[in-house]
Amino acid sequence: MKNIVDIKNRIKSVKDIAQITRAMELISVAKMRKADERREHHDRYYRRIKSVIKDIFAHSPSIDHPYLKPAEGKGTVFIVIASDAGLAGGYNNRVLQLAEKEIAAAGSYKVFTVGYMAEEYLSVRGYATIDKFVYCSQNPTLDDIRRLAMSAIDYFDSGEADEIKIISTRTIKGHNTAISTRLLPLGKGDFEDAKPLADYKQILHFEPSAADVFNILAPQYVFGTMFNALAEAIRCEHSERMAAMGTATENAGQMIEKLEREYHRARQEKITSELAETSSSLRE
């Protein structure tokens, strides 16, 4: 016969866990909505920059800039974006496995990590990191993003690396997917999906010049791409944590129902046993 007190304590313990997972689910819902709003605000600015650069390429196809030089195989800087905590389903696992695959395939590399989970995963597997940015992946400020982007761009500007890639998570067709995005060098194909500002025939020239405007916008676009990747990763993280905590709460509810059935059976068995003992003693 199962111990009724143990079953009762187990039910209480599972109910406490269910309350925690339910609270974490609600927190993730609120954070995901906030991340969506922040991403939407940024997207308006980001899309505008892309549109201007697309127009510059249309009117000045021969424009030259260090950020436009093709990669030559000198090395790759990886910026790996994960979370600072677990309990987010397969979010960290997917992005970190892709990061490991990309880094292993690179001949020469340097790694920047965003989030404690990325730093821990890669360091345990022997991948040395240049710098780590922990506890800023949840609510990164513009200063955080600028510091991260500039730290990576310095290697590009100095010629120590000729390519910068961001390994992060993006929602594609309703599914969170780990992706590799080239931050630098820039290519004209990066702006194909941008909407033109106006009919090309209506634009006579850029003031002060197309090259000067591009020199100003190129760094802004790079920072914007970095911000966009972080904002999308944050949104995906909270989405997966919300789903994981929702599943945990549902599983806890099913476990409670099973334990309550066991409790009632054990209680009935105990009552039946006590009645049988009482009847037996009376007959004696």
Side-chain angles (χ1 to χ4, degrees):
M1 182 185 301
K2 293 186 177 181
N3 190 311
I4 294 178
V5 175
D6 289 344
I7 298 175
K8 195 171 182 179
N9 290 337
R10 178 62 174 160
I11 292 173
K12 182 180 182 303
S13 176
V14 175
K15 284 183 176 179
D16 290 342
I17 293 173
Q19 288 180 345
I20 294 172
T21 55
R22 177 58 178 164
M24 292 178 69
E25 179 185 3
L26 295 176
I27 291 171
S28 292
V29 169
K31 288 185 175 181
M32 187 179 71
R33 288 174 180 170
K34 184 178 179 181
D36 277 335
E37 292 175 0
R38 189 177 188 186
R39 182 186 59 176
E40 182 58 33
H41 288 318
H42 169 262
D43 272 352
R44 289 196 288 269
Y45 170 77
Y46 185 62
R47 288 194 297 265
R48 188 73 171 182
I49 291 179
K50 291 185 70 173
S51 296
V52 175
I53 293 178
K54 181 176 182 178
D55 283 349
I56 291 174
F57 283 143
H59 290 83
S60 304
S62 61
I63 194 168
D64 187 33
H65 191 275
Y67 287 178
L68 296 173
K69 65 181 182 181
E72 299 176 355
K74 293 180 181 178
T76 303
V77 172
F78 292 97
I79 302 173
V80 183
I81 302 174
S83 70
D84 287 315
L87 300 178
Y91 170 78
N92 287 308
N93 188 51
R94 282 195 299 273
V95 72
L96 294 175
Q97 284 187 349
L98 175 62
E100 186 175 14
K101 181 180 178 181
E102 292 262 339
I103 294 170
S108 175
Y109 68 87
K110 293 175 176 61
V111 181
F112 291 81
T113 58
V114 179
Y116 175 79
M117 301 301 289
E119 171 65 22
E120 183 181 46
Y121 181 94
L122 294 174
S123 62
V124 166
R125 285 159 180 77
Y127 296 100
T129 57
I130 299 298
D131 202 353
K132 57 184 178 181
F133 297 80
V134 296
Y135 307 119
C136 71
S137 64
Q138 293 299 307
N139 189 27
T141 65
L142 290 177
D143 286 339
D144 292 331
I145 295 166
R146 187 177 296 275
R147 184 167 63 92
L148 170 60
M150 288 307 301
S151 296
I153 291 172
D154 283 345
Y155 286 94
F156 184 88
D157 291 340
S158 65
E160 295 181 58
D162 58 1
E163 187 178 36
I164 301 176
K165 287 185 176 181
I166 303 173
I167 311 295
S168 61
T169 307
R170 184 180 297 274
T171 301
I172 300 176
K173 295 181 179 180
H175 298 283
N176 294 336
T177 306
I179 62 168
S180 174
T181 305
R182 189 186 66 219
L183 183 64
L184 285 175
L186 303 180
K188 294 183 179 180
D190 299 336
F191 307 92
E192 289 181 354
D193 60 341
K195 293 182 179 180
L197 293 175
D199 187 346
Y200 294 149
K201 296 179 181 179
Q202 296 176 355
I203 300 178
L204 300 179
H205 67 277
F206 286 89
E207 187 66 35
S209 69
D212 290 335
V213 174
F214 186 83
N215 288 340
I216 294 171
L217 291 183
Q220 296 301 316
Y221 173 76
V222 171
F223 295 145
T225 303
M226 187 74 249
F227 186 98
N228 196 48
L230 269 168
E232 182 68 18
I234 292 169
R235 189 250 173 222
C236 291
E237 177 191 346
H238 291 310
S239 170
E240 296 215 24
R241 182 169 285 110
M242 178 188 69
M245 293 301 100
T247 300
T249 303
E250 183 179 345
N251 291 341
Q254 295 174 357
M255 186 178 295
I256 290 170
E257 290 180 4
K258 180 180 178 181
L259 288 170
E260 285 179 341
R261 286 195 298 268
E262 289 184 8
Y263 173 78
H264 291 308
R265 279 198 300 267
R267 187 167 177 270
Q268 288 173 354
E269 289 175 2
K270 182 178 180 181
I271 292 172
T272 302
S273 177
E274 290 176 351
L275 286 174
E277 290 177 2
T278 302
S279 299
S280 176
S281 63
L282 289 173
R283 284 196 298 269
E284 293 175 358

